[in-house]
Amino acid sequence: MDRFIRCALLSSALVPSLASANLVDDSHLDLTARTLYYNNDTRGAVKNQPTGEQLGQGFILNGRSGYTDGPIGFGADMMGMLGLKLSGREGYNTATGLFPQHDDNSAPRSFASARFALKAKLSKTEARAGFQSLNLPVIKTNDGRLLPSLYRGYTLHSTDVDNLVLDAGFIDRVQGRNQSHYQPLKATGKASGFSSGFSYAGGRYTPVKQLELSYYFAQLNDFYQQNYVGLTKTLSLGPGKLKADVRYFNSRGNGNEYGGSVDNNAYGGIVSWSAWGSTFGLGYQQLTGSSGFPYLDPGQTVEGVSTDTSGGSTGLVSESPLSKFKTAHERALVLRYSAKLDALGLPGLSFNSSYVSGSHARASSTSGNQNEWVRTLGLSYQLPESVAKGVTLAWKNVTYRTNITGTRSQDQNMLVVNWKFGLL
């Protein structure tokens, strides 16, 4: 597909009649420089496993063109990524997800990639072929390390109908957040085979103001198929706003079921109240069925085989940095609090926290009920433009405790300096 995209880009450059002011004037080019320090302590759960401590520098060049004139407009996007290893154990790459991990556990000093996509637009409907960055309940990219994960495939996005957003797509490859090349698809975990593709379709409908209904269908060939139904409602309450977010996933096996038999229902909901710059959230989630919750994993892989560090993201209300709370029969209580501290005379400073406690998890038919919990604390500070425009400093601390079979307790700290600035 990359060869096709390069040829198409070259062909478009040789056809001046398609060029227009909008193609250039509506183009954007920005660069993000991200410095990340990562420290992960596995609490002695893994024999002879040293603390994962690494420092890296990432660069993300993101270019987006406008569209040519005419009933159907054409354009192209590109993304260039470079990751540099600044420090860490020589000759050994602990499973941090920052850098590629080879079979001998070594990590290169640098890794890079360049991705392209063609796009066409008719009215308010856009079609893309090439790299994809997606954020839907059934498929998500992950940007939690130096570089973001990416998918490759074809997508449609339409807002032609008032109050209705439609999405559809087919994905055939994934590039993990610590990889420089596309790899085959699979669900999270170590499976016996790979998928020939992931397809999805659905949308979001807003029948009245502040009420949104959503439905999506997804299928990872030879792994699982999934139906998602969601509802969000926002209303005024006292000095603030109350938001209810209800989600339901129905997941069943598909084809060869390389990841094992799939039979899962995920019921979840969270109620949030926002006022005075603060947001309080209380949620609950329960899984039923004989298996855990399945999802497409664009995380850390070695030649298409998932390792112990997963970089996948889900649409579950229990989503947390070190656990998804996705084990069969698991119940999760969710507490969240975030605040913008401008009112305290600290403009640009934000605080976020969460506590998720899981119980009744059954990793196997003989494991019995097991438990886990995650506590997350984070601070983010955006520097004033007079000091440095587009610079954000962030710290995140995650504590994870578990006795679930196949998992391990961890303490995680991340320090990030993010600098984003426009070049065009």
Side-chain angles (χ1 to χ4, degrees), residues 33-164:
R34 177 180 299 166
T35 307
L36 190 152
Y37 168 76
Y38 180 98
N39 183 296
N40 190 63
D41 183 356
T42 55
R43 309 297 299 172
V46 181
K47 187 177 181 180
N48 299 324
Q49 171 73 57
T51 298
E53 186 175 21
Q54 293 181 326
L55 176 67
Q57 177 67 53
F59 296 96
I60 306 167
L61 183 65
N62 196 354
R64 304 169 301 283
S65 79
Y67 292 91
T68 60
D69 287 333
I72 301 179
F74 296 92
D77 295 342
M78 65 79 63
M79 180 176 287
M81 297 186 290
L82 171 65
L84 304 173
K85 183 178 179 182
L86 302 182
S87 70
R89 284 172 58 92
E90 292 297 330
Y92 185 85
N93 180 45
T94 53
T96 62
L98 262 68
F99 311 108
Q101 180 172 307
H102 301 314
D103 291 337
D104 62 356
N105 289 325
S106 65
R109 302 297 294 182
S110 65
F111 63 107
S113 64
R115 299 300 175 210
F116 301 91
L118 292 178
K119 57 186 180 181
K121 190 172 185 179
L122 174 62
S123 186
K124 295 181 181 179
T125 297
E126 182 184 78
R128 283 175 57 92
F131 80 88
Q132 312 284 344
S133 182
L134 300 167
N135 184 24
L136 299 172
V138 293
I139 179 171
K140 293 177 179 287
T141 51
N142 185 287
D143 195 19
R145 293 294 188 269
L146 275 182
L147 305 175
S149 60
L150 294 175
Y151 293 107
R152 188 186 75 176
Y154 310 89
T155 61
L156 280 172
H157 177 76
S158 176
T159 57
D160 271 301
V161 180
D162 291 343
N163 304 319
L164 180 64

Side-chain angles (χ1 to χ4, degrees), residues 185-196 220-225 251-264 290-297 304-306 326 328 363:
L185 301 175
K186 67 186 304 171
T188 184
K190 298 179 179 179
S192 59
F194 306 110
S195 175
S196 59
L220 180 62
N221 296 341
D222 288 320
F223 280 86
Y224 67 86
Q225 63 181 27
S251 305
R252 297 295 182 265
N254 176 261
N256 290 313
E257 294 188 335
Y258 289 135
S261 177
V262 178
D263 174 27
N264 181 269
S290 60
S291 74
F293 178 83
Y295 62 97
L296 184 61
D297 184 10
V305 179
S306 296
K326 64 178 183 61

Side-chain angles (χ1 to χ4, degrees), residues 411-422:
D411 287 328
Q412 180 188 93
N413 278 282
M414 293 176 62
L415 295 172
V416 184
V417 180
N418 215 60
W419 183 19
K420 183 177 181 177
F421 52 95

Side-chain angles (χ1 to χ4, degrees), residues 14-33:
L14 298 176
V15 186
S17 60
L18 290 180
S20 71
N22 290 337
L23 180 66
V24 177
D25 293 345
D26 293 339
S27 297
H28 300 277
L29 181 65
D30 56 65
L31 177 66
T32 298

